Each structure stands twice: as C-alpha cells, then as structure tokens.
Amino acid sequence: MRIVILLLAAVWLGLAAPAAAQDAAGDARRLALAEQYLEVTQGETLEKSINAYFDEAFAKSEMPDDQRDWLTRNMSVAFEQAMQATFADLTDDVAELFSEEELEAMIAFYDTPLGRSITEKNFEFGVRLETVMTPHLTEVFTQLGEKFCVRFECEAGEEAASKFGL
C-alpha cells in the first residue's frame, strides 16, 4: 500500500511541477502587464494632471509668489511619490483582478490618444467627485455619529468627535 501511495505522490508531483511552472510564468506575465497598465493609465498623463491641478489650486491663494511656487512644486512631487507607492502596492491586485486578455486590451486602448484623453478626464472627474462628495460625507457621518451617541450614550465620545468636526 505504501508503494502505491508513493507512486501516486510521485506522479502527482511530476504533473504538478510543469503546471506550477506554467502558473508562475502566467503570473509573471500578468504582473508585467499590470505594471504596464498602471504606467499607461497613471504615468506621464497623471503627472501632468497633478501639476496642473496644484498650479490651479494654489494660483487662487493669496500667498507670495515664491511660497506658492515652492508649495506647488513640492506638493506635486509629494503627491506623485505617494501615487507611485500606491500603484506599486496595487500591482498585485491589478494582476489578480484582470486577465491577461483584459490587461492587454486596456493597455492597447489607454495607449491611444483617446485613451490618454479619457485618463486625463478621469483624474479631473475624480477631483470634482471628491469636491462634491465631501460635504455629503461630512453630513451623513455627523448624523451617524449623533445616532451612535444617542444609542450608546457616548458623552466622552461627543467631546472627541467635536474636536474633529464630527
């Protein structure tokens, strides 16, 4: 009986090794495609959009020109660094979520003038979405905090919440 089990285990391992190698090659390909997708959709186009966003945002301020220029330049660099770190962290997720075929199709699309235009507009839309959504989130979370405190009598929590505007 042990010999049969050992033979079955050897056969299984012999068949599993090539399958594992194929999976590893497929995983590596999807990771490479995920990186390429993120670069096409979040690379140079995003950098331009970020720079334009901070230029516009700080142009409205009343601070001195040298401070505004410094802040615009450094905020852009800091934001880009944070985005790059975020995308590096998300590469595995992108590779897991999308098939090779989907990644190839998205790369082919977003690497066109139309795709780059949509990428730029998606960033602008995201900024507008955040601007419009923030007051609504503030309102509903304030109401939720109030309901929580009514339900659970959180006097100490009310003081802490008021410090944070909740």
Side-chain angles (χ1 to χ4, degrees):
M1 182 69 169
R2 288 184 186 167
I3 292 175
V4 172
I5 293 173
L6 288 174
L7 285 173
L8 288 173
V11 169
W12 180 79
L13 286 173
L15 294 174
Q22 287 178 342
D23 286 347
D27 290 346
R29 170 89 174 121
R30 284 200 8 221
L31 276 174
L33 287 169
E35 288 174 3
Q36 188 178 357
Y37 165 74
L38 289 169
E39 179 57 35
V40 168
T41 58
Q42 310 301 327
E44 185 179 313
T45 301
L46 183 61
E47 289 176 26
K48 289 178 185 176
S49 297
I50 290 168
N51 291 333
Y53 170 75
F54 285 118
D55 282 341
E56 183 180 318
F58 292 127
K60 298 173 185 172
S61 76
E62 295 181 12
M63 66 178 71
D65 289 347
D66 61 333
Q67 291 177 10
R68 185 178 58 242
D69 292 343
W70 184 93
L71 193 55
T72 299
R73 185 175 54 258
N74 286 284
M75 284 292 288
S76 295
V77 168
F79 194 83
E80 287 172 29
Q81 289 172 343
M83 294 300 286
Q84 290 304 318
T86 300
F87 297 137
D89 290 346
L90 285 174
T91 301
D92 289 340
D93 297 303
V94 171
E96 181 183 317
L97 285 170
F98 299 103
S99 69
E100 280 186 48
E101 183 180 22
E102 291 167 330
L103 288 164
E104 289 169 348
M106 290 187 302
I107 291 166
F109 174 72
Y110 285 111
D111 203 19
T112 66
L114 178 61
R116 286 187 288 278
S117 174
I118 289 172
T119 297
E120 289 175 27
K121 290 175 182 173
N122 274 335
F123 177 79
E124 183 179 331
F125 177 73
V127 170
R128 290 181 185 189
L129 176 67
E130 181 182 344
T131 301
V132 172
M133 188 180 218
T134 298
H136 299 296
L137 285 174
T138 302
E139 180 181 344
V140 296
F141 286 138
T142 299
Q143 291 171 358
L144 184 62
E146 291 168 354
K147 288 177 184 178
F148 181 88
C149 286
V150 166
R151 172 70 171 88
F152 295 102
E153 299 178 28
C154 54
E155 294 167 14
E158 288 177 340
E159 183 179 317
S162 69
K163 290 180 183 177
F164 295 104
L166 299 177

